Amino acid sequence: MRSLFRGRFLVPALLLVSVGLFGLLVFSPSASSATSATSTANTGSSGAGLKANSGQFPETPGFSSSPNQSPSGDGIYNVSLPQSFIAPGQALFAANCASCHGGDAAGTDRAPNLQSLGAGTVDFWVSTGRMPLANSSIQAARKQPRFNNLQSLEISAYVQSLAPGGVKVPVVNLSNANVGNGFRLFTLNCAACHTITGAGDALADGAYAPSLHYATTRQIVEAVRSGPGNMPHFGPGNISNAEVRDITAYVHSYIQHPINRGGFGLGGIGPVGEGFVGLLIGVGALMLVCFWIGDRT
Amino acid sequence: MIDQSVRWLDDRLGIAKGGRTMLDKIFPDHWSFMLGEIALYSFVVLIATGVFLSLYYIPSAHEVVYHGSYLPLRGQRVSEAYSSTVGLSFDVKSGLLIRQTHHWAADVFLGSIAVHMARIFFTGAFRKPRELNWIVGVTMLMLGIVNGFLGYSLPDDLVSGTGIRIAYSIIESVPLVGSYLGFFLFGGNYPGNGIIIPRFFLLHVLILPVIIGGLIAVHLGLLVKQKHTQFPGKGKTEDNVVGTPMFPTFIAKTTGFMFMTSAVLLLLGGLAQINPIWQFGQYEPYQISYAVQPDWYMGWLDGALRIMPSWEWVGWGHTLPLEVFLPAVVFPGLTFGFFWGWPHIEKRFTKDVATHNLLDRPRDRPKRTAFGAAMLMFYFMLFAASSTDVMANFFNVSLNVVLWTFRVIVFVIPIITYFVTYQICNEMRAAEGIGKRKRAMVVSRSDTGAYSTVTAEPRPGDDAHELDAIPVPTYINLTPEELETGPGVRRVMR
Amino acid sequence: MSDESTVQPTAPLPVAALDDPHQLPYAKHPGRAQAVAVVAMIIGILGCIGFGITYWVSDQTQWQAVTLGVGLLGLGFGVTAWGKYLMARGPFVEERHPFNSSDEEVKEMTAAITQRGGIVVARRKLLGGLFAIGSLAFGVVAAFPLIRSLGPKPGRALFVTNWRRNAQLVTVDGRPVHKNDLEVGGVLTVFPRGFAGSSPDQTILLRIEELGPEDPPLSLASPGRSDWTALGYVAYSKMCTHLGCPVGLYQEQTVELVCPCHQSIFNVLAGAVPEFGPAPRPLPQLPIKVQNGFLVAQDGYNQPIGPGFWERP
C-alpha cells in the first residue's frame, strides 16, 4: 500500500481515472433516463385469441395527463380463458401442483384451497415463478417461472373451471392511461408498502413487500385485484378498472424506468445510501486529496 | 502598480505592517489540518449554489397547477415550493446540477465537520487556550445540522414532508409548552396554515447562514490570533510554528484545494443522483412512503426514535410522551451539552490547565482516544438504526429481530470499541516506531554457516522517511529458569 | 491520567528566510513537476471551455458536471501542485509570543471594572436597580410579539376532529363509500364529507373477514365496541400515535397495521393495540355503521388522535 504513495502524482491521477470510470458508468445505457422504446416486458401473445398488448410508453402521443379527461374504455379487459386450455391445464396441475394443493385444488394441510380464487390469481402466482414453491418460508419469492405464458394460462383456466368467481385474467391496454392520475393513486395506495420508488421493503412478521421492477402489466393488475399474501385486495369498488390501468401505466413506466436525470440512481433506497456515498466518496476523496497535499509526519 | 496600491491602502488603513505579518504567517503542513478547509470550501459552494437556487425557488405552500416537463405531475395541483423545485430540476438549464451540488455539498459539509471535530478531539487541540474555538465549532455543527434539515424540507416533497410531521410531533411532546410551540411555529394544527414553508426558507437562506458565517469568521479569527497547533517533531516546540508561509505557498495550496473541493462536489452533483423529488410527489399529510429516512446527519435522531421503547407517562390529567421526548429532545440536548462542555469535563479528569500548542498523538492518550472512538461508534450505531426496515429487507430477517439487535448493540458495541481501542493504543505506544518504514537489514551467511547482518543502503530519496533498522537478534537471551522444559522435551543448546 | 504525551527535546531547525530568492523548491525534479502542473491546468482550461460548450449545446446534467468538474479539478490540481512542489521548501518558523498580559495588567483591568464601575453603581444604586428592572421588563415583553404573534393557541383543536355523528365516509376525491366498495381484505383512506384531504381527520378503513351469525364477536381491546364495526368494516385513525405519520401499511393476512416511519405494529383485531415498536397507544377507533347503503360515522373519536402532548388526559 505504501508503494502507492511513492509516486506522488499517482494518487491524484488515480482520482481522475476513477472519476472518469464513474462517469462512464453513468453514461452506460442501463442507467440513463427513460427511453421511448415500447416495452416488451409483457410476455408475447400465445395464440388462441389473446392479445397481450402492453401498450405504448408514456412519451408517445395518445397518453393523456389531464386528470379530468375521461378516456374511452378503461383499458382492462377481463377475459374468460378458452375451454381448450382446461385439459392441458389439468395435466400440468396434476403433475406440479396437486401434490400440495390436492387434485381438485381444494387444499391440503400443506397448501390452501385455490377454488374460486380465479384464473387471474393463479396466473399471478405461476407466471411470477412464486409457484411451484421452492422452499416453504414465510413468503413465497418471485423466481424464474417454471412455466411459460401459455402453460400458466392453462393452469389458470383449469383452476377457474373448478369453481366460479375470483379474479379474471386481464388484458391490459395502456394507450389511454393517465400517468398523472396513476402517480397520485400509487402514492396513496401502494407507496406505504412498496415505497414511493417501488423498491419494496420488509414488513412485519417476516413478510415483505416485493420490488415492483420486474412485474409485467398483467401481473400488476392481477396482484392489485387478487391481493396475494399480505397485500390487501383492491376490488373495482375501491380502485376502478380505469384507475388500475392508470396505476399500471405509472408502475410500468416511471417506476420500472425511473427518470434518473440526476445521474446514477444509487438504488433508490433513500438518504441512507446517499449518506454513505457522500461520506465515503465525497469526504473520502477529499481526505485523500488532503493526504496528498499535506505532510504525513 | 502594486507599490502604489499598497501605499494607497496604507495611507488610509495602515495595513502595511499588519499585512506583512499576515503574509508571513506560518501554517503547519500536516494533512489532518486541512479537514476544516473541506468544511470551509463546502460552505462556500453551499453559498454559491444556494444563491442560484434562491433565484428560482418559490417559498410558498400555495397550490398551483404544475405545467412543467415532468409528465406524471402535469396538471396536478402541487404547492409552489414543490412546483418550483421540480421546475428547477427539469426546466432550468444547469438547475439540476446546481441543486444536486448544493445537496451533496451539505452532506459533505457536515461530514467534514464531523471528521474535523474528531481530529481536534483526538489530538487534544481543544485544550487551553482553544476551548472557545471548540465551542464555536460545536455550535456550527449544531446549526449546520438544523440548516440542513430546513433545506431539504423546502421542496415540500413526500419524503421531507414526513420529516416535518415528525418534527412537529417532537415539538408537541415538550411538556407544558409543546402544543403551544407547535401551533405558534406552524400557524395552527398540523399542517398549519402553510406559513411553515416561508419560515423555513427565511431561516435556511438568511438567519442561519448569517450566524454560521459570523461564527466561521470568529473561528478563523481565533485561529489567526492563537496560531495553529502542530504535532511534536523535529524543530517544533510549544513556542513556535513550523510550516509554510501564507503567501505565496499556502494561498496557492488552499486555493487549489478550494477548486478541487468544488470539483468533487460538482462531480457528485452531476453524476450521483440525490433527492429525486419528482419521484416522490407532493407532500400530503395523509400519504406516506415506506423506507424513508432523514439525511445522514439526522439519522442518529431517527435511530434513537426507532429503538426507544414505547414508554409514555400518563397521570394527573397530563401526558408526557417519553418515547418521543427522551430520544428527540433530551438526548440531543445532552449530546450537544456534552460536546460543548468537553474541554471542561476533560480538565476535571486530567487536572491539566497548562497551555498546549503541541498536539497529542492519539495513541499517547489511550483513554481519551478510546472514549472518543466509543462515542463515535455509539452515534454510528444510532445512525445505522435509522434504516432498520431496509436492513431487515436486505438481510432477510424480521423487523423484530433487527430492532432488538439494535437495542442491544447500540450499547454493547461502543463498550467493546472502548476496550479494543484502548488496547490498540497501548500496543502502538509500546512498539518502537510502529507502522513506520524502517531501514532494511541485509542478512548474509558466511561459508562456515554464521549469520551476520548489515544495514542496507537507504533507498534514494527516502532517508527522511525511514527510521533506523531494528537489530536482528543473534542469540537467545534466556535465563536458566526459562530454559526449563517439561517432561519428555529435550532442549538442544547450540 | 498517567498517559502524558512526551515531547522529545528538539534540535533547532535551520531557519529559512521568507524572502530568500535562493530557496529550493520541494520537488526533486522541478521541471517534471511543472510539466504535470501545466498539463493539469490545460486540462482544466479545456474542461471549463467544455462546460461552456455543453451548456449551450445541451442540458445534459452529467456532461455539465464532468466538464466543469474536470475543469476545476485540473485547475485546482495545477495550482496546488505549484504550491506544493514548486514553491520554496522551507522549513519556515514563526515564533509564538504569549498574548496574555502580565499579572499586573490583568489586575489593573479587573480593578478598572470593579472599582470604577463599583463606585458608580454604589453611588447611584437606585438608577442601577431601575435600569436592571427595566431591561428585564423589556426582555420579557419583547418575547411576546416574537413568540406569541407567530400563531394561534391550540385551544381545543388537538382534542377534536371533524368527525361527527352521521358524518359520511368519503374518499380523498370526495366519493362516498358504499358498503360494497371494499372487498374483504381491502383498505381505503377516508375522511368526513366536506373535509376530504384534511390531515387530522385522516382515517383508515379496513374490511376484515365478515362474521357469520354463529361466530364470536370481534375481539376488540375495550368492551362496548362490538357495534363499532359493520359488515366487517372497521375504521381507525390513520395518524400514528407515535409521531403522526400516516399508518398506511396494511398486512391483510396477519391483520396488522404497520406504521412505515418507525415500524410500530398495530393489531387490528384487538383495537389497533400496538404490539411492537415505539408507538405508545392504540390507534383511536372510529365507530361506523351502514346508513342507506353507505358508511357513516356513529360519532367522533372518543379521544384525541395522533401523538401525545402535555394536555392530553
Side-chain angles (χ1 to χ4, degrees):
Chain A
M1 183 61 178
R2 202 160 277 121
S3 60
L4 196 66
F5 297 106
R6 285 256 220 159
R8 302 200 204 289
F9 308 119
L10 205 52
V11 170
L14 276 174
L15 272 173
L16 279 173
V17 165
S18 48
V19 159
L21 282 174
F22 197 52
L24 279 174
L25 183 78
V26 162
F27 295 146
S28 65
S30 56
S32 63
S33 53
T35 62
S36 57
T38 49
S39 164
T40 51
N42 206 4
T43 51
S45 63
S46 53
L50 270 187
K51 265 191 62 111
N53 176 13
S54 63
Q56 301 287 311
F57 207 68
E59 253 77 355
T60 56
F63 252 110
S64 73
S65 56
S66 154
N68 293 322
Q69 200 177 36
S70 56
S72 54
D74 56 19
I76 311 284
Y77 309 101
N78 290 322
V79 296
S80 297
L81 296 166
Q83 297 278 25
S84 58
F85 281 15
I86 297 179
Q90 180 172 18
L92 287 166
F93 189 89
N96 296 284
C97 322
S99 55
C100 289
H101 285 282
D104 55 354
T108 65
D109 55 359
R110 284 185 299 284
N113 180 1
L114 301 177
Q115 292 183 4
S116 73
L117 287 184
T121 310
V122 175
D123 180 55
F124 172 79
W125 287 86
V126 173
S127 67
T128 59
R130 286 178 164 86
M131 288 291 147
L133 197 56
N135 56 358
S136 76
S137 56
I138 296 187
Q139 182 164 330
R142 171 186 274 272
K143 59 187 190 330
Q144 188 64 24
R146 173 97 68 88
F147 304 105
N148 63 30
N149 186 40
L150 176 63
Q151 289 170 322
S152 175
L153 290 171
E154 287 169 348
I155 297 175
S156 309
Y158 168 67
V159 174
Q160 178 77 82
S161 72
L162 293 170
V167 175
K168 293 201 138 113
V169 172
V171 167
V172 186
N173 184 343
L174 297 178
S175 40
N176 286 322
N178 181 334
V179 273
N181 200 30
F183 187 20
R184 220 174 45 88
L185 291 162
F186 179 85
T187 310
L188 181 61
N189 293 295
C190 320
C193 297
H194 289 285
T195 82
I196 190 72
T197 52
D201 205 354
L203 303 176
D205 300 327
Y208 65 93
S211 160
L212 300 177
H213 289 268
Y214 308 105
T216 64
T217 53
R218 192 166 89 214
Q219 287 163 355
I220 295 169
V221 177
E222 287 168 348
V224 169
R225 287 287 183 236
S226 66
N230 269 303
M231 179 165 170
H233 297 242
F234 295 96
N238 186 353
I239 301 184
S240 70
N241 276 345
E243 289 173 334
V244 171
R245 175 202 55 199
D246 293 344
I247 293 175
T248 306
Y250 180 74
V251 171
H252 189 56
S253 56
Y254 290 93
I255 292 284
Q256 294 182 348
H257 305 277
I259 301 227
N260 285 332
R261 198 163 184 270
F264 188 49
L266 303 180
I269 52 168
V272 166
E274 293 162 0
F276 272 108
V277 168
L279 292 174
L280 290 175
I281 297 184
V283 178
L286 289 169
M287 280 177 72
L288 279 176
V289 176
C290 292
F291 202 64
W292 163 58
I293 296 178
D295 278 353
R296 273 157 246 152
T297 48
Chain B
M1 192 188 75
I2 302 227
D3 184 56
Q4 283 174 325
S5 321
V6 173
R7 177 139 295 283
W8 192 90
L9 282 170
D10 188 62
D11 284 340
R12 288 151 185 77
L13 298 169
I15 54 134
K17 188 153 162 246
R20 173 73 200 268
T21 316
M22 252 335 248
L23 294 181
D24 287 351
K25 194 145 212 37
I26 300 294
F27 287 83
D29 282 320
H30 197 263
W31 65 270
S32 66
F33 300 161
M34 299 183 65
L35 298 174
E37 287 172 47
I38 305 180
L40 178 66
Y41 297 134
S42 306
F43 187 73
V44 169
V45 171
L46 280 172
I47 299 287
T49 52
V51 167
F52 177 93
L53 295 176
S54 64
L55 297 171
Y56 297 90
Y57 170 77
I58 300 177
S60 164
H62 177 68
E63 281 200 342
V64 290
V65 176
Y66 175 79
H67 288 301
S69 46
Y70 186 63
L71 204 64
L73 289 172
R74 218 183 268 165
Q76 305 293 327
R77 293 191 65 78
V78 295
S79 65
E80 284 207 83
Y82 185 70
S83 173
S84 60
T85 312
V86 177
L88 180 58
S89 308
F90 279 82
D91 299 312
V92 173
K93 268 202 157 178
S94 301
L96 187 61
L97 174 66
I98 304 289
R99 207 193 117 229
Q100 296 198 153
T101 304
H102 189 77
H103 202 135
W104 282 119
D107 281 353
V108 168
F109 175 62
L110 288 159
S112 58
I113 290 181
V115 172
H116 170 68
M117 185 171 154
R119 195 285 285 174
I120 303 289
F121 176 86
F122 287 118
T123 57
F126 54 84
R127 293 173 297 178
K128 179 173 170 182
R130 295 176 178 83
E131 301 97 323
L132 276 172
N133 228 2
W134 168 265
I135 291 174
V136 169
V138 171
T139 310
M140 288 198 284
L141 171 66
M142 191 185 76
L143 293 177
I145 290 177
V146 172
N147 216 27
F149 168 74
L150 295 175
Y152 72 72
S153 302
L154 289 178
D156 196 25
D157 58 281
L158 183 63
V159 176
S160 66
T162 307
I164 301 182
R165 167 72 242 198
I166 293 175
Y168 181 89
S169 306
I170 293 173
I171 295 171
E172 225 182 10
S173 76
V174 174
L176 289 168
V177 295
S179 54
Y180 289 87
L181 281 178
F183 270 65
F184 292 165
L185 270 168
F186 281 72
N189 195 5
Y190 190 80
N193 60 359
I195 196 87
I196 196 64
I197 296 282
R199 283 180 180 168
F200 273 17
F201 180 69
L202 192 71
L203 280 165
H204 178 76
V205 305
L206 180 68
I207 299 178
L208 284 174
V210 163
I211 299 177
I212 294 177
L215 287 175
I216 290 179
V218 171
H219 201 66
L220 295 178
L222 282 170
L223 183 62
V224 167
K225 170 84 184 173
Q226 296 173 332
K227 299 194 176 50
H228 207 287
T229 52
Q230 61 190 350
F231 282 107
K234 203 159 112 175
K236 298 175 191 172
T237 70
E238 283 278 353
D239 299 312
N240 69 6
V241 186
V242 178
T244 53
M246 163 82 93
F247 185 83
T249 316
F250 183 76
I251 292 263
K253 292 205 278 191
T254 209
T255 305
F257 191 56
M258 179 171 75
F259 275 64
M260 293 176 90
T261 305
S262 314
V264 169
L265 293 174
L266 274 165
L267 284 167
L268 276 174
L271 297 175
Q273 184 166 271
I274 185 169
N275 203 27
I277 43 133
W278 56 90
Q279 294 176 0
F280 304 153
Q282 158 80 48
Y283 173 65
E284 297 288 352
Y286 53 87
Q287 284 178 349
I288 184 83
S289 167
Y290 205 4
V292 168
Q293 315 94 26
D295 271 19
W296 81 267
Y297 42 86
M298 304 277 295
W300 57 289
L301 288 171
D302 195 45
L305 280 169
R306 285 184 195 218
I307 66 173
M308 180 74 191
S310 58
W311 299 331
E312 189 179 61
W313 181 85
V314 180
W316 297 308
H318 292 287
T319 299
L320 182 52
L322 291 169
E323 80 281 353
V324 176
F325 185 61
L326 286 182
V329 180
V330 172
F331 171 59
L334 285 175
T335 295
F336 281 103
F338 188 68
F339 287 175
W340 267 315
W342 178 254
H344 182 71
I345 294 170
E346 188 179 273
K347 268 193 213 149
R348 303 203 117 206
F349 286 100
T350 61
K351 313 268 187 281
D352 177 6
V353 292
T355 299
H356 291 277
N357 290 313
L358 282 176
L359 295 170
D360 291 327
R361 295 193 80 182
R363 72 190 67 170
D364 290 331
R365 305 290 234 140
K367 286 199 188 134
R368 183 211 286 151
T369 303
F371 183 69
M375 289 302 281
L376 272 176
M377 197 48 102
F378 175 65
Y379 288 105
F380 179 73
M381 286 290 112
L382 284 176
F383 160 68
S386 77
S387 59
T388 42
D389 52 323
V390 173
M391 286 215 199
N393 196 36
F394 184 76
F395 292 110
N396 214 7
V397 292
S398 81
L399 287 174
N400 313 51
V401 166
V402 173
L403 192 72
W404 271 108
T405 307
F406 269 107
R407 281 176 176 167
V408 169
I409 65 175
V410 148
F411 296 104
V412 166
I413 291 210
I415 292 174
I416 296 176
T417 306
Y418 180 90
F419 288 110
V420 169
T421 310
Y422 188 78
Q423 187 63 15
I424 292 176
C425 284
N426 278 332
E427 289 195 13
M428 286 176 87
R429 287 166 80 195
E432 177 86 37
I434 189 168
K436 296 272 183 278
R437 194 195 313 151
K438 300 167 191 63
R439 190 86 32 88
M441 278 290 204
V442 180
V443 178
S444 54
R445 198 173 182 197
S446 72
D447 296 336
T448 53
Y451 288 99
S452 63
T453 61
V454 65
T455 309
E457 286 301 308
R459 278 164 278 241
D462 276 347
D463 39 354
H465 296 281
E466 287 183 341
L467 303 181
D468 287 336
I470 295 180
V472 175
T474 54
Y475 62 92
I476 298 172
N477 189 11
L478 291 173
T479 61
E481 289 74 34
E482 290 164 351
L483 290 172
E484 289 277 308
T485 59
V489 178
R490 181 170 68 103
R491 186 181 294 274
V492 175
M493 306 289 293
R494 295 199 200 279
Chain C
M1 280 159 79
S2 57
D3 45 354
E4 280 287 331
S5 64
T6 47
V7 178
Q8 316 296 339
T10 51
L13 288 172
V15 178
L18 287 163
D19 303 322
D20 183 353
H22 304 295
Q23 273 291 317
L24 290 174
Y26 183 92
K28 274 179 216 54
H29 305 277
R32 226 189 272 170
Q34 177 164 338
V36 172
V38 162
V39 168
M41 298 250 209
I42 290 176
I43 293 176
I45 295 171
L46 290 175
C48 291
I49 294 174
F51 172 72
I53 297 171
T54 312
Y55 181 86
W56 288 113
V57 164
S58 85
D59 196 22
Q60 243 277 26
T61 307
Q62 283 73 55
W63 275 116
Q64 288 180 354
V66 167
T67 48
L68 191 57
V70 167
L72 286 178
L73 202 63
L75 289 176
F77 180 77
V79 167
T80 309
W82 183 8
K84 182 176 161 78
Y85 297 119
L86 297 172
M87 293 192 186
R89 185 194 288 179
F92 300 95
V93 180
E94 182 186 12
E95 295 302 316
R96 286 183 207 268
H97 301 290
F99 43 74
N100 50 349
S101 325
S102 67
D103 273 346
E104 263 191 39
E105 287 165 335
V106 172
K107 280 208 187 77
E108 280 171 20
M109 167 82 168
T110 318
I113 298 174
T114 53
Q115 284 170 12
R116 275 190 247 160
I119 293 170
V120 165
V121 171
R123 266 190 211 157
R124 311 284 175 200
K125 279 203 192 84
L126 181 63
L127 287 177
L130 283 175
F131 186 65
I133 292 173
S135 303
L136 190 65
F138 169 70
V140 168
V141 301
F144 295 166
L146 211 59
I147 297 178
R148 177 66 191 92
S149 298
L150 287 173
K153 282 204 292 202
R156 299 291 302 165
L158 287 169
F159 293 84
V160 295
T161 62
N162 291 306
W163 286 103
R164 304 265 179 281
R165 215 169 121 73
N166 294 329
Q168 213 175 23
L169 272 63
V170 300
T171 66
V172 70
D173 299 321
R175 177 173 62 86
V177 180
H178 189 268
K179 67 180 198 287
N180 293 332
D181 277 354
L182 255 57
E183 312 205 329
V184 172
V187 59
L188 181 62
T189 303
V190 295
F191 300 88
R193 190 192 193 118
F195 298 98
S198 156
S199 168
D201 303 317
Q202 55 182 297
T203 299
I204 191 123
L205 179 70
L206 311 166
R207 192 167 192 188
I208 50 187
E209 195 71 51
E210 195 177 338
L211 301 169
E214 277 93 49
D215 286 326
L218 225 49
S219 71
L220 294 174
S222 17
R225 285 207 217 168
S226 50
D227 58 346
W228 282 27
T229 64
L231 298 176
Y233 283 99
V234 59
Y236 292 105
S237 165
K238 198 177 178 186
M239 196 183 283
C240 185
T241 51
H242 180 222
L243 288 166
C245 290
V247 184
L249 203 167
Y250 176 51
Q251 282 185 216
E252 179 241 330
Q253 268 177 349
T254 56
V255 203
E256 286 166 332
L257 278 166
V258 181
C259 183
C261 283
H262 307 113
Q263 292 85 52
S264 300
I265 303 179
F266 300 93
N267 184 341
V268 171
L269 294 175
V273 163
E275 296 193 323
F276 178 77
R281 273 169 286 105
L283 300 172
Q285 186 175 357
L286 185 73
I288 53 175
K289 64 183 185 196
V290 178
Q291 197 178 75
N292 302 328
F294 290 91
L295 291 171
V296 300
Q298 296 177 39
D299 206 346
Y301 286 104
N302 65 350
Q303 52 179 293
I305 50 104
F309 53 97
W310 179 249
E311 294 87 354
R312 192 183 202 284

